[in-house]
Amino acid sequence: MKSKIILVGLACLSFGTIVKAQDLIKQIPEDAEMIAAFNVKDIVQKANANKLNELLQKAGFFEKSGISASNDIKNLGVDLSQTAYFYTRKTDSISFTEFIFSLNNRGQFEKLLHEAGEPKAFANGYTSIGLKAGSMLVYNDRVARFISATTNTTFLDNDSIASRYGIKKVDYVARPSDDYDAWADTTVAAVDSVAEVWDEDEKPLAVPVAPPVAIAVEPDTIAAAATEVLPPVVNISAGDPVEMHDPSYYDSLYTAYEDQNRKNDSIRTGLRDKWLLNEASRLLSGNFKSLSITDQEKVLKNLGLVRLYVPRVEDLYRGLMPYTTSLPYYYMGIKLDKFKTGYQDGLLDLVQEGNVLKLKGSVGLDKALAEMTKRMYARKPNSKFSKYLTDKTLGFFNVNINSEAYLREMPAYMAKYYSGLLGPQQDVVEWGLMALEIALDEKAIAQVMPGDHLVVVNGLRKFKKDYIDYTYDDDYNATEVKKTKEETLPVFVWMFTSKDQRLIKKGLDMAVSKQVGQVYDGIYAFSKQKAKDFPMYVLLKEDLVMVSNDSLSLNDIRQNKMNAPGNKDFVKLMKQNKMSAAIDLQKLPTMLKEMGVAPDKQWEATLAQLNQYGSTAITSRGVVGNRAEVEMSTRLPQTSDGAISYLIDQILAELNKK
C-alpha cells in the first residue's frame, strides 16, 4: 500500500514539474521569432553544482551581487529545477526580447537587485525595477521576466512616418570658403523648415519651442495627428540685421541642427519606452495568444542542455532583408517578398553525451523540397573509399550527391523557389532553366562523375619549393636568383568515382601531348607553373580518379601498398552519413610541430592537451522524414563528470593562473 502511495506521489510531483514548465512556456507569444530554452536542472547537474559554484565565486559573481562568498547558486532565489526561456519578437517598428525564469525565494532574489534601484509596484501583482535604458525587470513570487526593446531605425527613417510622430529631419550645410552665393542659396533651402530668415528691416519675434511629446500609440500604427514640434528660431538681438556672412548666423545653424536632433532622439526614446511599457502590460495581463501546442512540444520534446527554435525560418530570412522594397530592386524587377525557401521550422540543440559535446541542427522542409532533396542525395559512398581511411589519417571530407538527380532536379528547384524574385522576367527565367534541363545529358554526366567524393589528409611530407631571391651589387642593382627550400605540408588525396573515364583520360593525354604534363607508370604529373605552386598528380585506378600533391602516395596506391590499419571511427562516420568531415585532434600537436608552427606560450598547454582529445566531426544524414539534419561533435578527454564539467575545469585552471 505504501509503495502505491509513493508511486502516486512521485507521479504527482513529476506532473507538477511538467505543468510548471509548460506554464512558463505559455508566457511566450505565438508570433515569437526565435526561442531559446535552457534546461537549467540538466546544466547544473552536468556542470557539477560545486564546480559551477566555484566558477561563480572565482569570477566574483557573489561579491559583486552583495552575497556572501560562502553562499552558492542555490541561494540566489532562482528555481534551478525549472526550464528558463528567452525569445525575440519583432514588428516593423520595434523589436522585443524577453528572458523568463522561475523563482523559489523572492527575498533572496531581491538581494541581487539592491544596486539596480528601488522596487516599485507595477501591474497584475508584479514588481518592477528599471535597468538600463530600454529594458526593465518585472517579477512576482513565482517568476522573473527581463524585457527589453529596440526601435527599428528603418521604420522611423520613412519621412511620412517620422513627421507624423513629430520627428523632423535636419540637414546641416557647412559654408564653402570659395562659393559664398551658392552656399547661401543651398543653406536657405536646407534650413527652411528649421529657422526663419528675416529681412534687415524686420525684427524677429521670440517664439517658444514646444517640448517633444511621445505619441501614445501601439507599435505598427501611425498617429492620425501628432503634437507639433515647432521649429527652433534663431534668436538674434533686436536691431541687429541677419547677414549670411555673419559668424553668429553660421553658429545658429549648428545650434538649430543639434537642438532638433536632440528633440528627435527624445521622441524616439519616448516612443520606445512607451511601447516597452505597453508590451510589458500586455504580457503580464495575458492579453495575447500563446505559442501553439505544436510549437511548445517542439521546444520541450527531448530537450538537451540548450535548444534554439525558429518557428518560421522563411520569415526569419525575410526579416534579415529590411530593404525589400528599395528602389534598386524595384527598378530591376526583383521582388524579394516573393522569395521562398521551402524551409519551415529550425532547431539547434546543445547536447552532452558523456565526454562528447554535440551541436545538433535540423530544418523542416516542405513536402516537395523534402522529396527533391532525398532524390539529390540518394547515393552511398563508394565502398572502396574505406581502405584509404587509415590510422595515419589526420582528417577527411566525404560528400555523396546523386549527380544525375541533382542535374535533373536543380532547374525545377530554381524555378519553384527563386523565379518569383524576378517579377516580369519570371517566364524568361523558367524558359532558360527548361532549356538547360533539356541540354544537359544527366545520365552521361553521372557516368563521368556520379557525385561521391572523398578528400583524405594523410600525414605530412617535405616538399622542395622553388622561390625567387635577389642579390645586389655595389650599385644596388638587383639580380634574380632562383633558390630551393624545403617545406613540410599536409599530404592530401582527392578521389571520386568515375565509371566512364574516357573524357578525363583524353584530357590528361592531351595535356601530355602539349607538354603541359608528363606521365610516369600511369601517374600523370603536372609541374608547377609558378615558384609558389606545387606539382599535382593524377592516377586513374579501376573506377576511381585520384588527385594528389604527393606522387609517393599515388604510387603506393597504384602498387596496392596501402597496408596501414583502418580508422574504424572515420569509416563508420563516412558510411553512415551523406556528408561527413572529421579531424583527429590527437594528431594535431605532432603535425604542427613537424610543420615548424610554434604556438604562443598561452596556447602551449592547451595544444599539449589535445593529445587527450578524440576527433571533431561534422556530419549530415541528409533528409530524415521531412527534416534536413546536420551535427557537429567534439570528443573531449574522458572524465567522471562529462564534457561540460571538463570545460569548467579548464576555465577554473585559467582563472587560477591570474
Side-chain angles (χ1 to χ4, degrees):
M1 183 66 180
K2 288 183 178 179
S3 61
K4 290 183 178 179
I5 294 174
I6 293 173
L7 288 173
V8 171
L10 290 174
C12 291
L13 181 61
S14 175
F15 178 74
T17 302
I18 294 172
V19 168
K20 192 169 185 180
Q22 289 178 340
D23 186 46
L24 275 187
I25 199 172
K26 288 179 181 177
Q27 307 304 315
I28 301 176
E30 69 168 350
D31 57 347
E33 185 180 50
M34 197 180 303
I35 303 160
F38 302 87
N39 189 341
V40 180
K41 180 180 179 180
D42 223 26
I43 293 172
V44 173
Q45 181 180 355
K46 284 184 166 60
N48 187 315
N50 293 330
K51 289 183 181 179
L52 189 58
N53 186 53
E54 183 184 353
L55 177 61
L56 292 174
Q57 288 186 25
K58 291 282 175 96
F61 172 77
F62 298 118
E63 182 181 352
K64 293 175 183 177
S65 302
I67 302 173
S68 171
S70 62
N71 284 327
D72 59 33
I73 55 176
K74 296 177 182 177
N75 297 328
L76 300 180
V78 178
D79 191 343
L80 301 177
S81 67
Q82 301 302 316
T83 304
Y85 301 94
F86 170 86
Y87 73 88
T88 64
R89 189 178 81 84
K90 181 188 287 186
T91 70
D92 60 354
S93 57
I94 193 164
S95 297
F96 296 107
T97 63
E98 183 178 10
F99 182 50
I100 314 171
F101 53 95
S102 297
L103 301 179
N104 60 11
N105 190 315
R106 175 172 175 165
Q108 288 180 334
F109 180 70
E110 284 185 324
K111 289 181 181 179
L112 301 175
L113 310 173
H114 69 283
E115 293 183 356
E118 189 68 26
K120 297 179 181 179
F122 185 69
N124 298 93
Y126 281 84
T127 298
S128 72
I129 289 183
L131 301 177
K132 65 179 183 179
S135 63
M136 62 188 299
L137 175 69
V138 294
Y139 60 93
N140 57 18
D141 293 337
R142 192 178 63 86
V143 64
R145 311 175 69 154
F146 177 79
I147 311 169
S148 65
T150 306
T151 53
N152 299 335
T153 55
T154 54
F155 178 73
L156 293 175
D157 282 345
N158 184 291
D159 291 339
S160 61
I161 294 175
S163 64
R164 294 187 187 186
Y165 283 123
I167 296 174
K168 295 181 180 293
K169 292 189 177 181
V170 185
D171 291 325
Y172 175 67
V173 182
R175 170 182 176 177
S177 59
D178 58 346
D179 192 355
Y180 170 81
D181 293 332
W183 169 81
D185 294 339
T186 306
T187 304
V188 172
V191 302
D192 184 50
S193 60
V194 182
E196 295 182 36
V197 182
W198 300 87
D199 294 332
E200 291 186 359
D201 58 346
E202 290 182 325
K203 295 181 179 181
L205 299 176
V207 181
V209 178
V213 178
I215 311 305
V217 295
E218 295 294 330
D220 305 329
T221 61
I222 301 174
T227 302
E228 182 181 3
V229 181
L230 297 178
V233 176
V234 180
N235 293 317
I236 302 175
S237 58
D240 294 335
V242 178
E243 298 184 6
M244 300 294 287
H245 60 276
D246 192 334
S248 64
Y249 178 79
Y250 179 82
D251 293 339
S252 69
L253 288 178
Y254 182 76
T255 301
Y257 171 79
E258 288 292 301
D259 287 347
Q260 187 60 53
N261 276 333
R262 278 193 292 270
K263 292 181 176 68
N264 290 344
D265 290 340
S266 178
I267 292 172
R268 292 188 187 98
T269 301
L271 287 171
R272 182 200 63 200
D273 293 344
K274 178 69 176 179
W275 290 339
L276 175 61
L277 287 173
N278 289 348
E279 178 73 358
S281 299
R282 184 178 77 96
L283 292 171
L284 302 184
S285 66
N287 187 23
F288 63 92
K289 193 171 181 180
S290 299
L291 201 65
S292 71
I293 298 298
T294 300
D295 285 334
Q296 291 182 36
E297 290 177 350
K298 288 183 178 180
V299 172
L300 293 174
K301 186 177 181 181
N302 299 324
L303 177 63
L305 298 175
V306 181
R307 172 169 292 164
L308 181 66
Y309 175 58
V310 180
R312 295 165 295 277
V313 173
E314 201 158 90
D315 288 352
L316 183 63
Y317 265 92
R318 291 198 178 99
L320 297 175
M321 300 184 290
Y323 300 101
T324 54
T325 57
S326 61
L327 288 178
Y329 288 126
Y330 177 81
Y331 283 112
M332 287 188 292
I334 296 176
K335 298 181 179 179
L336 292 178
D337 57 324
K338 300 292 185 182
F339 175 65
K340 294 189 297 182
T341 62
Y343 300 145
Q344 297 175 336
D345 61 287
L347 285 169
L348 183 64
D349 286 321
L350 176 63
V351 179
Q352 173 183 303
E353 295 179 2
N355 66 321
V356 179
L357 207 57
K358 293 184 176 182
L359 269 177
K360 296 182 176 182
S362 69
V363 61
L365 310 178
D366 65 29
K367 185 177 180 181
L369 182 57
E371 292 176 352
M372 185 185 301
T373 307
K374 286 178 181 178
R375 291 192 292 268
M376 289 193 293
Y377 290 88
R379 184 172 183 81
K380 296 180 179 180
N382 190 323
S383 59
K384 295 176 183 178
F385 286 171
S386 300
K387 64 182 179 181
Y388 301 109
L389 296 174
T390 70
D391 61 356
K392 295 181 180 179
T393 302
L394 172 67
F396 79 95
F397 169 73
N398 170 244
V399 64
N400 303 283
I401 300 172
N402 187 323
S403 296
E404 181 181 346
Y406 196 89
L407 294 172
R408 185 175 61 248
E409 301 284 357
M410 190 50 64
Y413 171 79
M414 296 293 293
K416 180 178 176 62
Y417 294 102
Y418 289 91
S419 62
L421 289 171
L422 299 178
Q425 285 74 40
Q426 179 173 347
D427 293 342
V428 177
V429 172
E430 291 179 350
W431 179 86
L433 291 170
M434 184 180 294
L436 179 63
E437 183 179 1
I438 294 171
L440 292 174
D441 187 343
E442 302 96 345
K443 291 186 179 296
I445 294 174
Q447 287 294 309
V448 177
M449 188 180 286
D452 49 358
H453 298 262
L454 176 68
V455 178
V456 182
V457 178
N458 283 326
L460 302 170
R461 188 89 74 197
K462 288 185 178 180
F463 293 91
K464 289 185 178 180
K465 179 180 179 181
D466 296 333
Y467 69 99
I468 301 298
D469 199 358
Y470 295 90
T471 59
Y472 298 89
D473 58 21
D474 294 339
D475 296 325
Y476 297 100
N477 297 312
T479 303
E480 284 190 2
V481 179
K482 188 176 180 180
K483 295 184 177 181
T484 302
K485 64 179 180 179
E486 282 190 341
E487 285 194 9
T488 303
L489 295 173
V491 171
F492 77 87
V493 180
W494 165 40
M495 61 190 76
F496 60 90
T497 303
S498 179
K499 298 289 186 180
D500 186 350
Q501 299 177 357
R502 291 175 301 168
L503 183 65
I504 297 173
K505 189 175 188 310
K506 189 171 182 63
L508 294 172
D509 290 337
M510 187 184 303
V512 171
S513 68
K514 294 182 179 295
Q515 299 183 343
V516 176
Q518 295 175 310
V519 59
Y520 303 98
D521 295 329
I523 297 176
Y524 293 86
F526 297 91
S527 301
K528 50 202 171 199
Q529 299 298 315
K530 300 177 182 177
K532 65 179 180 180
D533 294 335
F534 290 93
M536 299 300 294
Y537 305 93
V538 180
L539 170 66
L540 307 180
K541 182 177 174 62
E542 299 172 348
D543 63 349
L544 294 178
V545 176
M546 300 185 178
V547 181
S548 178
N549 62 343
D550 180 39
S551 61
L552 296 179
S553 294
L554 292 188
N555 193 54
D556 287 345
I557 293 173
R558 186 183 67 83
Q559 298 183 46
N560 297 316
K561 291 183 178 181
M562 297 288 293
N563 299 320
N567 187 319
K568 294 180 180 179
D569 289 338
F570 283 178
V571 171
K572 183 178 178 181
L573 285 175
M574 184 191 68
K575 287 184 175 181
Q576 292 182 347
N577 295 280
K578 301 295 184 183
M579 184 280 293
S580 55
I583 181 171
D584 189 344
L585 295 178
Q586 291 182 336
K587 293 184 173 65
L588 197 57
T590 303
M591 188 195 79
L592 293 176
K593 185 177 180 180
E594 290 181 13
M595 292 179 65
V597 177
D600 295 336
K601 287 186 177 180
Q602 61 179 358
W603 290 103
E604 280 184 7
T606 302
L607 194 61
Q609 288 178 345
L610 288 180
N611 58 18
Q612 304 173 33
Y613 283 59
S615 60
T616 292
I618 300 176
T619 60
S620 174
R621 295 193 298 164
V623 178
V624 180
N626 73 323
R627 304 191 69 82
E629 297 183 349
V630 66
E631 176 179 300
M632 179 177 179
S633 64
T634 297
R635 188 176 298 277
L636 301 177
Q638 187 72 51
T639 62
S640 58
D641 293 326
I644 298 294
S645 179
Y646 174 82
L647 291 177
I648 292 179
D649 283 338
Q650 303 312 301
I651 297 172
L652 286 172
E654 290 298 321
L655 291 175
N656 288 331
K657 293 179 183 178
K658 298 179 180 179

